[in-house]
Amino acid sequence: MGNSVDEYTQEQIEELISCAKVIVDPSKRTMTSLQGSRRNDMIVQNGAGARFRVFMRQSEKFSEDFSVGLVYEPRGASPIILIRCNGPHGEFLGVDASHSHNGYHIHRAKVENLRSGLRAERCGELTDEYVSFEQALRYFLSVTAIQWTDDHFPNLRQRRLDGFDD
Amino acid sequence: MISQSAIENAIATQFHDKVRLEPRRPNILQIYAPFYHEDGDMLDMYIEPRHGGVRVCDFGKTLMRLSYTFDLDTDNKRRIFNEMLTENQVQFDDESGNIFLDTTEENLCNSVLHLSQVIAKVSRLDVLRREIVSGLFFEMLNEFIGSELTSFNPRFDYLPIPGRDELKVNCAFEISPYPVYLFAVRSSNQARLATLSFLEFQKARLRFKGFVVHDDFDSLPKNDRKRITSAADKQFVSLDDFRENAAEVFSRVA
């Protein structure tokens, strides 16, 4: 993957988001409390050796205010947030950037943003995929194809196929 | 052409229409205003009525957002952050991460606008990220040479072999008994060029000392590190290393 923003295509961005990834530096079993927010991070890697950082943040004051994101960190270049799943924290600019919205939403990197010199993940879209931090994390792990186990995220204990927890 | 009074009226009306408060928790109001981060999220600002006044604050949200891609994990970064808050006359509680200022009802608008500016500045502390700072490597190196090493007669963009433009060195120091030819290296390509140049100078039987300043020596691939180490007489592994030790090293070879 090239370092210049001109070298990315939307297909490459989508592939970076959805390609299968394994955890190479796992997150802590519990979030760390630091300066008003609960935080956790981990490093994941895809089959081609590209490395990504996952961040998990949740406000201690407003627990519904959280963000789980995937950061692509190409060597020697600025990091790019590929996807970020947020809770309702206030308004955000929608995809058309002329209207603001409020609610659970997802920011996703767009090549036109990169080429315009804007933040890749500028502007978000409302979502009904989750209504809590744990649900957002589970959704995020699914769309980013990160392979995880109960050891990585004990709070997310994977459901059996019959839908019942142990 | 629109008149001044119409402009004033438009600003006043639009500000009034676009700013509102929403209760977020008991005794905490969130400010909804058209101030957005570069990523499209609205600035997080809150109002907390208190005895004797009003607190305008962010409840740690600014640092939480900054931490997505940047940590205040060194003394220098924390110092820069604290200086920024002090210079902008806002307060900070380290435990809660809360950036705040206490104000009065009469000064509420000014305080909200002021806090929004501070939040925007703090949110961009990520310009201290390494890949941004390292982009200034060559400028900072030249600036240092031009101010601190002038006694060693520096000449920028020097051609040790006349006519061989492809073997230009970043800086030549005309000292006795042998001049120093300095390359600044920030990438594999630059490392290989420096290596090749030193070998060409040796082949041309030039009498010189070959020095290299790296942006980050450890970031070079192993083979590039081995090749340049074999060809150079002295390497500085970082700009900080060069700043700390260059004068003393040059004094020994001069």
Side-chain angles (χ1 to χ4, degrees):
Chain A
M1 184 65 62
N3 291 336
S4 166
V5 296
D6 293 331
E7 296 178 35
Y8 291 107
T9 65
Q10 191 60 41
E11 290 72 29
Q12 287 171 326
I13 290 175
E14 296 303 328
E15 169 62 18
L16 284 173
I17 294 173
S18 63
C19 62
K21 305 172 184 71
V22 296
I23 298 174
V24 295
D25 188 0
S27 54
K28 298 183 179 61
R29 289 178 65 81
T30 57
M31 306 270 279
T32 302
S33 183
L34 180 64
Q35 293 176 327
S37 59
R38 297 168 63 236
R39 307 180 184 187
N40 214 341
D41 296 82
M42 66 181 179
I43 304 294
V44 300
Q45 184 171 299
N46 70 4
R51 291 168 71 90
F52 308 77
R53 186 171 59 79
V54 172
F55 63 83
M56 294 155 267
R57 304 285 186 269
Q58 185 177 29
S59 167
E60 289 185 318
K61 191 72 175 179
F62 312 111
S63 59
E64 71 277 20
D65 193 340
F66 58 81
S67 189
V68 182
L70 181 72
V71 187
Y72 177 50
E73 298 182 323
R75 193 185 186 90
S78 296
I80 298 171
I81 296 181
L82 296 172
I83 181 170
R84 181 158 62 86
C85 301
N86 275 26
H89 55 74
E91 292 188 349
F92 64 94
L93 292 174
V95 175
D96 64 5
S98 61
H99 293 95
S100 57
H101 309 274
N102 196 350
Y104 296 91
H105 60 282
I106 299 173
H107 294 256
R108 211 170 170 104
K110 297 278 188 291
V111 69
E112 53 265 30
N113 287 339
L114 283 172
R115 290 177 184 163
S116 301
L118 301 172
R119 281 283 184 90
E121 83 282 18
R122 179 177 171 84
C123 301
E125 293 186 57
L126 288 168
T127 183
D128 57 4
E129 295 284 352
Y130 52 82
V131 290
S132 72
F133 172 75
E134 286 75 21
Q135 289 180 10
L137 180 56
R138 185 187 292 276
Y139 169 78
F140 170 85
L141 292 169
S142 171
V143 298
T144 56
I146 293 173
Q147 297 169 27
W148 62 281
T149 68
D150 290 346
D151 282 340
H152 293 119
F153 299 104
N155 290 342
L156 295 188
R157 292 184 60 210
Q158 303 205 54
R159 291 182 183 277
R160 297 197 321 234
L161 288 175
D162 59 10
F164 290 94
D165 290 328
D166 289 332
Chain B
M1 194 165 66
I2 188 168
S3 67
Q4 178 176 330
S5 61
I7 292 172
E8 288 172 352
N9 188 58
I11 289 176
T13 305
Q14 289 171 27
F15 254 93
H16 178 269
D17 290 347
K18 289 188 183 299
V19 178
R20 72 181 194 277
L21 300 178
E22 296 277 350
R24 190 70 191 263
R25 292 290 194 273
N27 206 45
I28 295 176
L29 301 167
Q30 182 167 2
I31 302 169
Y32 281 66
F35 306 137
Y36 296 93
H37 293 285
E38 286 90 348
D39 62 16
D41 283 341
M42 191 181 72
L43 263 59
D44 300 287
M45 292 189 292
Y46 306 89
I47 287 178
E48 195 180 14
R50 300 165 77 86
H51 289 299
V54 182
R55 173 166 290 182
V56 186
C57 65
D58 79 332
F59 284 123
K61 291 299 305 302
T62 306
L63 289 187
M64 175 174 137
R65 176 179 301 275
L66 181 65
S67 78
Y68 296 171
T69 57
F70 184 76
D71 283 318
L72 297 174
D73 56 357
T74 68
D75 288 340
N76 266 338
K77 290 175 188 174
R78 284 187 285 270
R79 176 183 57 78
I80 291 168
F81 169 67
N82 287 320
E83 284 177 0
M84 180 179 285
L85 298 184
T86 302
E87 288 169 5
N88 285 276
Q89 296 181 292
V90 298
Q91 297 179 70
F92 175 67
D93 176 70
D94 190 72
E95 186 174 342
S96 64
N98 195 15
I99 298 171
F100 65 94
L101 62 103
D102 291 324
T103 186
T104 62
E105 183 183 338
E106 293 73 30
N107 291 313
L108 200 46
C109 179
N110 289 353
S111 298
V112 168
L113 292 176
H114 181 67
L115 185 70
S116 71
Q117 287 191 317
V118 175
I119 288 174
K121 290 176 188 177
V122 170
S123 298
R124 287 319 321 261
L125 277 174
D126 60 349
V127 296
L128 298 175
R129 270 201 313 263
R130 175 164 181 75
E131 60 271 10
I132 295 176
V133 172
S134 71
L136 303 173
F137 170 63
F138 298 104
E139 285 133 359
M140 292 193 289
L141 173 66
N142 289 348
E143 193 179 299
F144 177 78
I145 292 172
S147 65
E148 304 298 324
L149 301 178
T150 54
S151 60
F152 302 105
N153 304 314
R155 292 181 63 183
F156 293 102
D157 298 326
Y158 182 76
L159 291 179
I161 302 176
R164 297 289 303 272
D165 294 359
E166 75 278 16
L167 302 178
K168 181 168 62 179
V169 302
N170 293 104
C171 189
F173 296 87
E174 294 184 332
I175 57 178
S176 298
Y178 305 122
V180 169
Y181 298 148
L182 177 77
F183 280 95
V185 168
R186 200 175 156 235
S187 68
S188 277
N189 282 345
Q190 288 164 353
R192 290 169 196 171
L193 178 60
T195 302
L196 176 72
S197 299
F198 287 145
L199 294 174
E200 286 292 312
F201 299 157
Q202 290 166 17
K203 199 164 97 176
R205 299 191 181 279
L206 299 184
R207 310 299 292 270
F208 72 101
K209 292 282 187 188
F211 284 14
V212 179
V213 180
H214 293 277
D215 177 37
D216 181 6
F217 180 71
D218 290 330
S219 71
L220 285 177
K222 180 177 161 187
N223 284 339
D224 288 330
R225 291 202 306 268
K226 286 168 70 172
R227 283 190 284 259
I228 200 167
T229 299
S230 176
D233 294 299
K234 166 69 183 173
Q235 298 186 84
F236 298 89
V237 297
S238 68
L239 184 56
D240 281 343
D241 180 25
F242 185 74
R243 283 176 175 146
E244 285 172 25
N245 299 301
E248 193 253 335
V249 169
F250 276 79
S251 295
R252 287 209 306 270
V253 299

